[in-house]
Amino acid sequence: MSRANRIVIVGGGIAGLMLATRLGRTLGRAGAARVTLVDCHPTHLWKPMLHTVAAGTRDVAHTQIAYLAHACSHGFTYQAGRMSGLDRVRREIVLEEMEGHDGKRLLGERRVPYDALVLALGSQADDACVPGVRDVCHFIDSQPQAQAFHAALQCESLRSAVNDDALRIVIAGGGTTGVALAAELSRTFALAAGYGDPQICERLKLTLVERGPRLLGAFPPDVSASTQDQLERLGFRVLTETRVVCADRDGFYRDDGQLIPGDLLVWAAGVKAPDCLRGIGGLTTNDANQLVVRATLQTAQDERIFALGDCASLTPEQGSSALPPTAQVATQQAAHLGRHLGAWLEGRAIPPFAYRDPGASLSLSGYNAFGALGRFGFFKGGIVRGRFAQWSHAMLYRRHQHALHGYARATVLLGAEKLGGLRGPRIRLA
């Protein structure tokens, strides 16, 4: 393979960072290719734990990965930037200008050349153009957004405590993000009650709004029912079959004109790929901005451009619908492309990607957990709950750590995380 081959990966989420790490170890260190990871944020955080950052039950210092340091240790390079364009003729991506914290221009527009381009930009909640949502709602799609919500939560908690006033939090979206955040917020305030403010839970008014007939529509109905029962026992008001038509600083408005009042509004409904992908470079995208890819993970219009994870839409040959935008799909696709991309640059074909469905899991903080088993292995299609389901959910993150750091370093990091948790407070509301 020529040293001139340049592999550019845009997006440092689960799929992007795993792929960059693997290719850096195998191709970058050997000098067989130059691997570059591009992301607009300097650190990586496992997306399924963003709700714990938002609620203040996790310290990101123990879990985030600095791209620059990780790249130096694993044979690839990191470039800070946000992709705004694609030139398929010149084989270049365009990175938009970057501003510093003071608003001054830090970096001008740049172009990054590639021989193989992998787009792994993840996904975000879909506001569906509901008026006011972008103006007044918090989103929990990235680390900065989760931290911004937590900062607002701290301010509102202080106001509520000083004025002995209600703190009303409304979450729109009854999928995994909304449900997990709801449970984590309940745990946050339950723990806060033990720090000298026993009335804090009484002041907290939590509402979860879902447009569909039940929470967690991707899970079996009995998991949905058990989850709703758990949240209601924790004090949540759960509103299903409730359509939000607009939002303002007073709260969400239903289609019947009624107001759902809230001091903090969170939008966790719907899923779409970033807007910058819509029709980029003439590539085919679906209504959710996802790039339509073949079984080889290559885009239909350009074999040199690949897409992975939440920003890709792949319908299996014998499937009726596209693969879901989950961490497990992203992980398997990154592993598949990591095994075959080097050989493809030498002229060999990439075999079709085949997804092995291990099922889905959901953790309701420390209260409960559920798992819907997949289509292979023992007990196909079964349901697990309780401690075993919590352990299974936790193992997803541990496997992610192992893939990035190796077993030895991942074990050390786990120990450091546990020790750090013993040293500091269990929550952060001040």
Side-chain angles (χ1 to χ4, degrees), residues 132-191:
V133 167
R134 284 284 163 190
D135 299 323
V136 300
C137 292
H138 290 271
F139 290 75
I140 315 294
D141 296 318
S142 66
Q143 183 178 333
Q145 289 179 345
Q147 291 173 316
F149 172 80
H150 182 62
L153 178 65
Q154 289 177 311
C155 292
E156 288 296 326
S157 298
L158 177 61
R159 176 197 59 77
S160 174
V162 171
N163 297 333
D164 192 23
D165 198 6
L167 171 52
R168 302 165 300 179
I169 303 176
V170 187
I171 303 170
T176 54
T177 298
V179 167
L181 177 61
E184 204 67 31
L185 285 170
S186 180
R187 177 169 177 260
T188 294
F189 285 89
L191 291 171

Side-chain angles (χ1 to χ4, degrees), residues 1 5 7 23 26-27 32-33 336-348 350:
M1 184 187 303
N5 280 311
I7 303 172
L23 294 178
T26 55
L27 303 180
H336 180 81
L337 195 57
R339 285 191 295 267
H340 301 291
L341 188 57
W344 176 80
L345 288 169
E346 294 179 334
R348 281 177 275 176
I350 296 177

Side-chain angles (χ1 to χ4, degrees), residues 267-283:
W267 190 268
V271 178
K272 68 175 182 178
D275 292 334
C276 68
L277 291 179
R278 187 183 298 128
I280 191 169
L283 301 176

